[in-house]
Amino acid sequence: MIYKFINYLKSVSVEGEYGVEHLRHNPPYYENDHVCLEIKEVAHNEISVQVKRCMFPIHHIHLEFLNPMENIKAQLDLNGDIHPFCEEAKNSPCYICSDLGIYALGMETSESNQASFWVNAREISVDIPLHEMNHTSARLVFEKYLSVHPNQEIISRFNQLLMTGVAQ
């Protein structure tokens, strides 16, 4: 991929005890009077999300991206089988098939990072649940694989990528 996925980030919000709060962009931070998140690219198409300040417990972080994928056709399940594309919530990782290859989205593998993805032709929405206040960082990975790679190899390579990084 030539583009940087972080450049497609269009909005950030948090959900806590007081409802949903939208954050304004002040690079590299997204903030308001109660919350400050640092969102930055740590490697090519790997994004770190860190809670820098919060005045109340945060239950979810919501990220909205413009969708750079073209001509979405299908999706892979974790066994590598192809299914018709549907716009329902997908767990991490998820694999989307298009004319140009297979796109993989996922959160760094851990018990506390069970992100959900909603993908349509225009947007990618990411919901990151925060189960504990001391869990303050996450790593989002977006990767493209050419269709010449076998589906099982793509899944294996992406899962390895999710396990090798550490959110900074």
Side-chain angles (χ1 to χ4, degrees), residues 24-93:
R24 66 186 170 277
H25 190 204
N26 185 13
Y29 303 104
Y30 286 81
E31 59 190 347
N32 65 16
D33 294 337
H34 307 115
V35 178
C36 179
L37 304 179
E38 182 180 40
I39 300 177
K40 63 182 181 179
E41 186 176 61
V42 293
H44 185 68
N45 288 328
E46 295 182 27
I47 298 170
S48 169
V49 178
Q50 274 191 311
V51 177
K52 292 295 192 180
R53 171 180 50 84
C54 63
M55 308 288 271
F56 56 84
I58 298 171
H59 304 300
H60 294 269
I61 297 172
H62 303 284
L63 307 175
E64 298 284 331
F65 294 88
L66 295 174
N67 189 348
M69 300 178 219
E70 296 180 18
N71 301 323
I72 296 172
K73 293 182 165 189
Q75 60 196 43
L76 295 182
D77 64 19
L78 295 179
N79 296 320
D81 297 326
I82 296 177
H83 301 278
F85 178 76
C86 61
E87 291 186 13
E88 65 188 21
K90 296 161 183 35
N91 293 324
S92 178

Side-chain angles (χ1 to χ4, degrees), residues 105-133:
L105 294 126
M107 292 297 298
E108 183 174 26
T109 304
S110 76
E111 289 180 18
S112 57
N113 278 348
Q114 294 301 317
S116 296
F117 297 87
W118 287 269
V119 179
N120 66 38
R122 295 170 307 285
E123 296 179 334
I124 298 171
S125 299
V126 182
D127 175 43
I128 305 168
L130 299 179
H131 300 292
E132 303 170 9
M133 275 304 290

